[in-house]
């Protein structure tokens, strides 16, 4: 218990003193997770709309696959991205490995199933007549899909929040494809991992507390958007 | 304006529309009448491009709507539909009514102006900021109407727009529909099962039953010259009275209804509780107790008379309530008045007794 | 609607700010670090966890105006990075595999630059009685006592293909045991599959023995009740070497800067820094500088080559 208290105090000390390295790591965590979430949302929400409204052969199987991928192990994604972007790999020439971009790619892959699946779920909850209504009132197909998405906005924002949560807590693939490089690809989660390795348990806990606080702040903001 | 040619539609292996052929003229109010499940909603949805018919063609202003993809959106934007149970978007009243203009790319200034005018017309002024979902049924229906009308459609489709509404709301909506028809010259196609509403609003009516368009014509034509029994039946109502069987002699059943005995034919035995059904058109009214072959003859007082097309519904008290349907001619010949004492008679064979 | 637009604008602005205007490097320099040259080095956890790289990094970066990306992983993974061309240089401590790496044509310009010792640490009560005996004898005793009393005598192996793990396996071989025999010999032998820190923590918790390098052991921040029990023996020598990935295999390798790093580590300045590291804090050196031929003293067969700076 004593350790937890020390950790809590240390966390506040780090925040208040605005320890530069911790700030940098925190902002990087936020930036990478936010970028991943934005990219994934921009893709998954419209695609979710398309999947929901159009029938095609294998639709049911696709939805099953998406839901199975919710529990995609992060090490698998990390390994996949590593093998793809390593210099010996097909996309090696881009030199993306061990950069924040690689972490973003990994996180986007990880949260896409969640965002897609939850968006589909959200859209299923919308009254079927809404689309007919929208079309009848003169909307194009895309406008109608967008209108339904807007009707489901509460649940869709919830999906985005969930995606963000998943992204910011990512550690396995982030270490493997980011390299946890100080000042470049180190984020809160990977820093925690390192400090545990070094035996700095209280510092690791403190970073963990900061991570939770960060998630809390982001959540509060997202909730405000959700409520309006 | 609208021409429907040989329209068939199959849904879940059931043929819902069987060979519909009709032409609806520009600027007319065409009322589709028929019982629930006849296919009215399906027909309207097909016209509004929300469903593709199994076979047949629909023409809008001379252009076929169902096969020209580029034209489809344009045509759809010249029509509007108000659904039976309208669903409004989870947004403010203003956003809801502004929606058709937004999707058509109107400028903000124009939207503000038009929405304001429209809300006034449907008597929802001041409701702009309220959440549309939280309004009453009547208010939601008016929003739906406002949404449909605001884009100035050439064809307005309405599916039972006043079902489940209070009389005041019904009045308002009917007024709006007629206004829109007269002032904007819009063609109205409306589905309803309310005969009197059809009569009030229609230039022409189409009777849709079990997927077939049985008769098309002015309300007068349909009432005076119903094409078949079904049409005639649809335009009328039934009497259903509760009673107890007091006696049964070889099938002739005597049913005690509020102290009076009605004779019918059945196999129900004494003591059983039954319902007595008599079709209003099987009831004959006369001023005197003339000798008829009818076994049922009751003195009655006229409570109410409603003129419905070529027929008159006469509500009687015998003392049990009875609805008789007689022709206008007979009513006029007998000079029937409310409060008058008459004799209602009907044959025992016209009495259906059910358990 | 208006409220959302305002919020949305704030959101977007914050996002843009975070993405484009947050400095990358730890020094908070305003220039975007992606424009600077980068050198990627894969190193072992024992070099990294001690903080040696944190110490050397800013000095090297300033001297050569380069961004040094230090990626740490077990020796096995580091070699894999090298074989795949994902890094420009390696700094590890497994002679056998280093030589193989060079033989396969992946590595060039190998130079020893620092060394320390492995030690066997364990609980104070020393149930297996290995204090101050030779490493080979200690291992023999551990397996004997461990098989007899698995509740009292336990050993935790890194089990992760790291340099430390490789050394452990070598000592088992010298003690006359096939490694898979050891692995199957009983519940006394635990394969942690973890980094050195968590392994030490585990050993601490359950009162087990383990093999660790002096640097990591001294620098471990947690409170350990383990004490060094076997400290001397030529099998415990731990030599760290640095080498570049061969540009002939991977043309994109920043060979110039990799050579700079190698030379830096074996330069007077580098050697001095390595020798000073940790003295103030821990009271003793964590690493003994043995670049530029000093590795002869610890038996490096190629000490002559190590003596020469890289061209």
């Amino acid at each position: 218990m004593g350790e937890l208290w020390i950790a809590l105090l240390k966390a506040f000390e780090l925040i208040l003193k605005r320890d530069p390295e911790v700030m940098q790591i925190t902002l990087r965590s936020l930036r990478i997770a936010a970028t991943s979430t934005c990219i994934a949302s921009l893709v998954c929400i419209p695609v979710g709309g398309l999947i929901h409204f159009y029938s095609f052969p294998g639709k049911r199987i696709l939805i099953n696959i998406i839901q199975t991928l919710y529990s995609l192990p992060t090490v698998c994604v990390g390994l996949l991205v590593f093998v793809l972007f390593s210099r010996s790999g097909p996309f090696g020439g881009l030199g993306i490995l061990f950069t924040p971009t690689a972490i973003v790619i990994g996180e986007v892959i990880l949260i896409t199933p969640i965002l897609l699946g939850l968006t589909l779920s959200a859209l299923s909850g919308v009254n079927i007549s809404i689309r007919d209504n929208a079309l009848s009132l003169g909307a194009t197909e895309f406008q109608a899909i967008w209108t339904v998405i807007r009707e489901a906005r509460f649940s869709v924002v919830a999906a985005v929040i969930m995606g963000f949560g998943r992204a910011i807590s990512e550690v396995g693939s982030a270490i493997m494809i980011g390299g946890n490089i100080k000042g470049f690809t180190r984020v809160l989660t990977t820093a925690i991992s390192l400090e545990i390795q070094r035996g700095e348990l209280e510092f690791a806990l403190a970073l963990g507390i900061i991570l939770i606080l960060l998630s809390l702040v982001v959540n509060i903001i997202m909730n405000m958007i959700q409520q309006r | 304006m609208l021409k429907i040619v040989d329209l068939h539609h199959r849904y879940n292996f059931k043929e819902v529309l069987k060979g519909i052929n009709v032409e609806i003229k520009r600027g007319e109010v065409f009322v589709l009448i028929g019982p629930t499940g006849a296919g009215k909603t399906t027909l309207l949805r097909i016209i509004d491009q929300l469903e593709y018919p199994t076979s047949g063609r629909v023409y809008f202003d001379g252009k076929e709507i169902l096969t020209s993809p580029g034209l489809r959106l344009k045509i759809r934007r010249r029509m509007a539909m108000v659904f039976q149970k309208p669903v409004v978007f989870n947004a403010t009243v203003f956003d809801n009514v502004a929606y058709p203009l937004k999707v058509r790319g109107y400028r903000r200034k124009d939207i503000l102006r038009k929405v304001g005018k429209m809300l006034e017309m449907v008597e929802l002024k001041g409701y702009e900021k309220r959440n549309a979902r939280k309004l009453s049924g009547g208010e939601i229906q008016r929003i739906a109407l406002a949404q449909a009308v605001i884009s100035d459609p050439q064809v307005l489709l309405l599916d039972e727009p006043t079902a489940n509404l209070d009389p005041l709301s019904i009045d308002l909506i009917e007024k709006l529909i007629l206004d829109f028809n007269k002032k904007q010259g819009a063609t109205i196609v409306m589905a309803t099962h309310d005969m009197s509403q059809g009569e009030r609003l229609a230039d022409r009516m189409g009777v849709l039953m079990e997927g077939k368009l049985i008769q098309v014509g002015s309300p007068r034509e349909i009432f005076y010259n119903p094409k078949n029994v079904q049409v005639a039946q649809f335009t009328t109502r039934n009497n259903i009275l509760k009673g107890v069987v007091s006696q049964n002699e070889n099938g002739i059943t005597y049913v005690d209804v509020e102290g009076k005995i009605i004779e019918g034919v059945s196999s129900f035995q004494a003591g059983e509780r039954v319902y007595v059904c008599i079709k209003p058109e099987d009831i004959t009214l006369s001023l005197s107790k003339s000798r008829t072959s009818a076994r049922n003859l009751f003195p009655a007082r006229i409570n109410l008379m409603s003129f419905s097309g070529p027929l008159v519904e006469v509500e009687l008290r015998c003392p049990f309530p009875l609805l008789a349907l007689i022709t206008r001619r007979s009513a006029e010949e007998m000079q029937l008045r409310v409060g008058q004492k008459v004799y209602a008679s009907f044959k025992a064979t016209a009495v259906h007794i059910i358990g | 609607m208006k409220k959302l637009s305002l919020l949305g604008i704030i959101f977007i602005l914050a996002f843009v700010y975070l993405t484009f205007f947050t400095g990358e490097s730890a020094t908070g320099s305003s220039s975007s670090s992606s424009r600077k040259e980068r050198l990627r080095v894969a190193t072992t956890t024992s070099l990294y966890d001690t903080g040696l790289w944190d110490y050397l990094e800013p000095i090297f970066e300033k001297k050569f105006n380069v961004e040094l990306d230090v990626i740490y992983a077990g020796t096995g993974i580091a070699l894999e990075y090298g074989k795949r061309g994902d890094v420009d240089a390696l700094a590890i401590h497994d002679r056998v595999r280093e030589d193989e790496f060079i033989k396969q044509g992946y590595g060039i310009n190998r130079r020893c630059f620092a060394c320390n010792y492995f030690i066997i640490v364990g609980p104070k009560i020393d149930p297996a009685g290995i204090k101050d005996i030779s490493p080979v004898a200690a291992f023999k005793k551990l397996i004997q006592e461990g098989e007899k009393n698995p509740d009292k005598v336990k050993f935790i192996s890194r089990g992760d293909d790291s340099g430390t793990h490789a050394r452990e396996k070598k000592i088992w071989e010298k003690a006359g045991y096939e490694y898979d025999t050891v692995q199957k010999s009983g519940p006394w032998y635990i394969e942690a599959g973890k980094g050195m820190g968590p392994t030490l923590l585990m050993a601490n918790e359950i009162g087990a023995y383990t093999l660790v390098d002096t640097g990591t052991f001294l620098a471990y921040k947690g409170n350990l009740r383990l004490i060094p029990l076997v400290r001397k023996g030529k099998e415990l020598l731990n030599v760290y070497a640095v080498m570049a990935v061969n540009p002939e295999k991977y043309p994109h390798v920043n060979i110039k800067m990799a050579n700079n790093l190698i030379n830096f580590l074996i330069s007077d300045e580098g050697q001095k820094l390595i020798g000073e590291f940790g003295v103030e804090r821990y009271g003793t050196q964590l690493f003994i500088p043995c670049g530029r031929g000093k590795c002869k003293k610890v038996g490096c067969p190629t000490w002559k080559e190590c003596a020469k700076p890289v061209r």
Side-chain angles (χ1 to χ4, degrees):
Chain A
M1 260 320 279
E3 293 166 315
L4 280 174
W5 276 117
I6 298 176
L8 202 59
L9 287 171
K10 192 163 185 121
F12 282 113
E13 185 192 335
L14 290 168
I15 296 174
L16 290 170
K17 271 212 296 203
R18 281 194 273 192
D19 178 299
E21 199 185 332
V22 171
M23 292 246 77
Q24 190 205 107
I25 294 175
T26 306
L27 282 172
R28 193 175 298 124
S29 273
L30 181 61
R31 206 176 64 229
I32 291 179
T35 309
S36 315
T37 310
C38 279
I39 295 176
S41 302
L42 284 170
V43 169
C44 292
I45 295 178
V47 170
L50 288 170
I51 295 180
H52 179 74
F53 282 114
Y54 294 102
S55 345
F56 47 87
K59 177 170 170 170
R60 188 149 281 172
I61 298 177
L62 179 64
I63 295 181
N64 262 317
I65 293 177
I66 292 173
Q67 290 179 327
T68 309
L69 291 177
Y70 282 177
S71 28
L72 189 60
T74 101
V75 281
C76 288
V77 174
L79 199 55
L80 177 71
V81 176
F82 180 80
V83 166
L84 285 175
F85 290 93
S86 159
R87 288 280 174 182
S88 333
F91 299 109
L94 297 168
I96 286 180
L97 200 61
F98 302 141
T99 64
T101 311
I103 304 182
V104 169
I105 293 176
E107 286 183 4
V108 168
I109 295 177
L110 265 171
I111 67 178
T112 290
I114 296 175
L115 268 171
L116 251 183
L118 290 181
T119 299
L120 283 174
S121 203
L123 293 176
S124 308
V126 173
N127 194 325
I128 303 180
S129 315
I130 295 274
R131 179 172 171 253
D132 281 349
N133 218 4
L135 285 173
S136 170
L137 292 174
T140 62
E141 292 280 356
F142 286 120
Q143 282 171 325
I145 292 179
W146 181 244
T147 301
V148 175
I149 291 175
R150 283 206 67 218
E151 281 290 295
R153 60 183 172 274
F154 190 87
S155 307
V156 170
V157 171
V160 173
I161 292 177
M162 177 128 236
F164 178 82
R166 186 75 192 73
I168 204 166
S169 58
E170 176 45 33
V171 60
S173 70
I175 289 186
M176 203 184 289
I177 57 189
N180 199 8
I181 299 169
K182 177 171 163 162
F184 193 43
T185 58
R186 189 166 297 172
V187 291
L188 278 170
T189 47
T190 59
I192 292 172
S193 177
L194 176 61
E195 294 308 324
I196 291 178
Q197 207 165 288
R198 286 179 165 165
E200 289 264 35
L201 298 180
E202 282 138 13
F203 187 43
L205 265 173
L207 289 176
I209 292 172
I210 293 178
L211 178 58
I212 293 176
L213 284 174
L214 180 66
S215 295
L216 193 64
V217 167
V218 172
N219 253 289
I220 291 176
I221 296 178
M222 294 298 276
N223 265 309
M224 278 166 49
I225 296 181
Q226 202 180 28
Q227 296 296 353
R228 84 120 206 123
Chain B
M1 190 74 218
L2 276 177
K3 184 158 155 194
I4 299 167
V5 176
D6 208 24
L7 200 67
H8 287 263
H9 191 63
R10 182 172 271 118
Y11 187 78
N12 276 346
F13 307 116
K14 203 174 130 203
E15 231 193 325
V16 184
L17 292 175
K18 303 171 188 161
I20 309 284
N21 280 286
V22 67
E23 230 184 287
I24 298 172
K25 305 197 189 82
R26 186 188 298 264
E28 78 168 325
V29 177
F30 188 92
V31 175
L32 269 176
I33 202 133
T36 328
K40 309 192 291 291
T41 305
T42 311
L43 181 58
L44 288 176
R45 282 174 68 89
I46 290 177
I47 297 174
D48 201 28
Q49 297 180 20
L50 294 174
E51 311 222 14
Y52 291 109
T54 317
S55 70
R57 293 185 296 283
V58 179
Y59 295 87
F60 178 93
D61 206 8
K63 305 186 194 89
E64 198 175 345
I65 68 174
L66 295 171
T67 56
S68 25
L71 228 38
R72 236 185 273 147
L73 180 66
K74 281 209 199 119
I75 291 177
R76 195 163 73 230
R77 284 188 169 169
R78 283 155 69 185
M79 289 196 274
M81 181 154 160
V82 178
F83 297 86
Q84 190 164 6
K85 281 204 214 97
V87 176
V88 288
F89 303 126
N90 189 4
T92 60
V93 171
F94 182 91
D95 286 335
N96 266 283
V97 179
Y99 185 82
L101 301 178
K102 277 217 207 102
V103 295
R104 288 170 172 79
Y106 278 63
R107 281 181 315 179
R108 186 151 181 87
K109 247 196 327 177
D110 297 327
I111 293 182
L112 274 170
R113 187 175 39 92
K114 281 183 160 242
V115 172
K117 229 173 52 172
M118 185 56 58
L119 286 179
E120 236 187 276
M121 254 170 67
V122 298
E123 296 185 15
L124 283 176
K125 192 159 178 214
Y127 280 62
E128 284 86 350
K129 295 245 161 92
R130 290 171 62 171
N131 186 307
R133 284 267 168 93
K134 303 210 174 107
L135 301 182
S136 73
E139 290 162 338
I140 289 182
Q141 196 87 25
R142 285 183 287 174
I143 293 179
L145 192 60
Q147 281 178 316
V149 163
I150 197 168
S151 57
D152 233 345
Q154 289 174 293
V155 172
L156 182 61
L157 306 161
L158 303 124
D159 190 2
E160 313 233 19
T162 58
N164 307 320
L165 288 187
D166 60 280
L168 275 174
S169 303
I170 297 179
D171 266 349
L172 177 59
I173 289 185
E174 285 184 6
K175 179 165 99 53
L176 289 168
I177 295 173
L178 283 176
D179 259 354
F180 194 62
N181 169 248
K182 296 288 181 308
K183 293 199 186 136
Q184 317 291 92
T187 310
I188 312 268
V189 182
M190 186 169 102
T192 183
H193 61 256
D194 182 350
M195 273 303 297
S196 44
Q197 182 173 67
E199 197 199 357
R200 280 198 294 280
L201 305 176
D203 291 326
R204 281 197 306 157
M205 278 174 39
V207 182
L208 195 66
M209 286 185 149
E210 286 180 6
K212 293 211 197 82
L213 196 59
I214 300 186
Q215 187 173 10
V216 172
S218 70
R220 200 164 192 274
E221 275 167 34
I222 294 184
F223 292 136
Y224 273 105
N225 298 317
K227 208 162 204 171
N228 59 22
V229 179
Q230 290 158 302
V231 173
Q233 274 180 338
F234 180 67
T235 61
T236 61
R237 289 190 293 178
N238 227 330
N239 286 296
I240 301 177
L241 302 164
K242 255 204 264 196
V244 180
V245 178
S246 63
Q247 219 185 344
N248 188 324
E249 270 175 24
N250 294 323
I252 305 228
T253 318
Y254 298 84
V255 185
D256 182 320
V257 176
E258 292 185 39
K260 298 282 173 95
I261 301 290
I262 296 182
E263 289 177 40
V265 181
S266 81
S267 49
F268 287 99
Q269 297 303 315
E272 292 192 75
R273 289 188 191 279
V274 293
Y275 287 98
V276 172
C277 302
I278 312 152
K279 285 221 197 77
E281 56 260 42
D282 291 337
I283 300 177
T284 319
L285 296 181
S286 53
L287 293 171
S288 59
K289 218 179 181 176
S290 53
R291 245 183 280 136
T292 73
S293 50
R295 291 178 79 114
N296 293 297
L297 183 68
F298 301 99
R301 174 160 266 136
I302 298 181
N303 249 9
L304 193 67
M305 281 172 51
S306 31
F307 294 79
S308 185
L311 303 163
V312 185
E313 281 175 5
V314 186
E315 282 181 37
L316 306 156
R317 281 249 139 208
C318 306
F320 48 79
L322 206 63
L323 184 73
L325 200 62
I326 59 174
T327 61
R328 233 178 186 150
R329 240 169 273 160
S330 320
E332 282 165 20
E333 276 166 19
M334 285 192 279
Q335 291 182 332
L336 294 181
R337 298 219 155 33
V338 174
Q340 193 173 355
K341 253 176 79 178
V342 292
Y343 287 93
S345 63
F346 46 94
K347 300 200 176 117
T349 46
V351 177
H352 299 283
I353 304 179
I354 48 181
Chain C
M1 272 310 272
K2 267 204 185 139
K3 248 189 271 177
L4 171 69
S5 328
L6 194 63
L7 201 61
I9 291 173
I10 294 175
F11 203 52
I12 294 173
L13 282 178
F15 182 66
V16 170
Y17 170 72
L18 285 176
T19 310
F20 296 111
F21 295 109
T22 312
E24 291 278 24
S25 61
T27 56
S29 73
S30 54
S31 65
S32 165
S33 53
S34 51
R35 279 189 238 125
K36 253 202 212 156
E37 204 181 332
R38 307 198 83 95
L39 181 72
R40 293 196 176 121
V41 185
T43 188
T44 67
T45 49
S46 41
L47 273 181
Y48 199 83
D49 289 348
T50 49
L52 180 64
W53 280 109
D54 280 348
Y55 178 60
L56 296 173
E57 185 178 332
I59 302 170
F60 180 76
E61 284 183 336
K62 198 156 173 211
K63 194 173 171 105
F64 290 96
N65 192 30
V66 67
E67 283 292 334
L68 186 63
D69 286 345
V70 183
I71 299 157
Y72 66 91
T75 299
I77 304 177
L79 284 164
E80 191 55 38
Y81 286 155
K83 283 200 193 134
R84 295 176 139 266
D86 287 322
V87 293
D88 303 299
L90 296 169
I92 52 182
H93 62 143
D94 184 344
R95 187 71 207 234
V96 173
R97 283 192 282 180
E98 288 162 23
D99 285 339
E100 200 188 313
F101 190 70
I102 295 172
K103 199 151 140 232
Q104 288 172 340
Y106 289 110
I108 56 169
N109 297 343
R110 181 189 176 283
R111 298 288 183 273
C112 301
F113 68 97
C115 55
N116 58 19
Y117 291 89
F118 284 108
I119 47 177
I120 304 179
V121 300
K124 221 177 196 173
I125 54 172
D126 190 12
I130 61 169
K131 191 165 165 65
D132 287 334
I133 61 179
S134 80
V136 171
F139 267 43
K140 280 194 192 146
K141 246 195 159 188
L142 279 170
I143 191 169
Q144 281 160 6
E145 295 301 314
E147 279 177 330
K148 267 195 286 179
N149 282 319
D151 297 321
K152 285 232 178 87
V153 172
K154 294 201 224 282
F155 183 87
I156 303 193
S157 161
R158 288 285 297 278
D160 64 350
D161 216 27
S162 57
T164 310
H165 188 217
R167 180 56 59 92
E168 183 209 322
K169 284 196 265 189
K170 217 150 153 236
I171 303 180
W172 285 120
E173 205 187 307
K174 267 235 171 115
Y177 291 93
E178 291 257 358
Y179 188 59
D180 48 349
T181 320
V182 176
Q183 281 176 303
K184 292 187 224 143
S185 61
W188 73 278
Y189 185 78
I190 300 165
E191 294 187 73
K194 296 213 233 306
M196 197 71 243
T199 302
L200 282 172
L201 199 59
M202 201 188 218
N204 194 44
E205 290 300 311
I206 65 178
Y209 296 88
T210 191
L211 187 68
V212 60
D213 65 280
T214 46
T216 306
F217 186 66
L218 280 168
Y220 188 76
K221 305 292 199 312
N223 290 323
L224 296 174
R225 292 184 302 269
L226 304 165
I227 58 164
L229 292 165
V230 176
R231 277 175 285 200
K232 296 213 160 54
K234 61 179 190 317
E235 294 86 359
L236 297 179
L237 200 51
N238 185 18
V239 179
Y240 294 94
V242 59
M243 58 179 154
V245 173
N246 194 350
E248 276 174 38
K249 280 261 181 181
Y250 291 105
H252 68 267
V253 164
N254 191 349
I255 187 67
K256 205 154 153 256
M257 195 52 68
N259 288 340
N260 283 339
L261 178 67
I262 298 170
N263 284 333
F264 173 75
L265 287 171
I266 62 176
S267 68
D268 289 333
E269 183 190 355
Q271 292 284 290
K272 183 159 170 276
L273 289 167
I274 291 171
E276 282 173 354
F277 181 67
V279 175
E280 208 183 301
R281 195 157 177 186
Y282 304 103
T284 169
Q285 282 181 318
L286 293 184
F287 299 96
I288 305 166
C290 56
R292 289 248 288 286
K294 281 188 248 160
C295 49
K296 181 181 181 198
K297 273 193 268 179
V298 295
C300 171
T302 58
W303 65 269
K304 280 212 189 105
E305 258 194 62
C306 288
K308 291 187 272 191
V310 177
R311 293 253 149 262

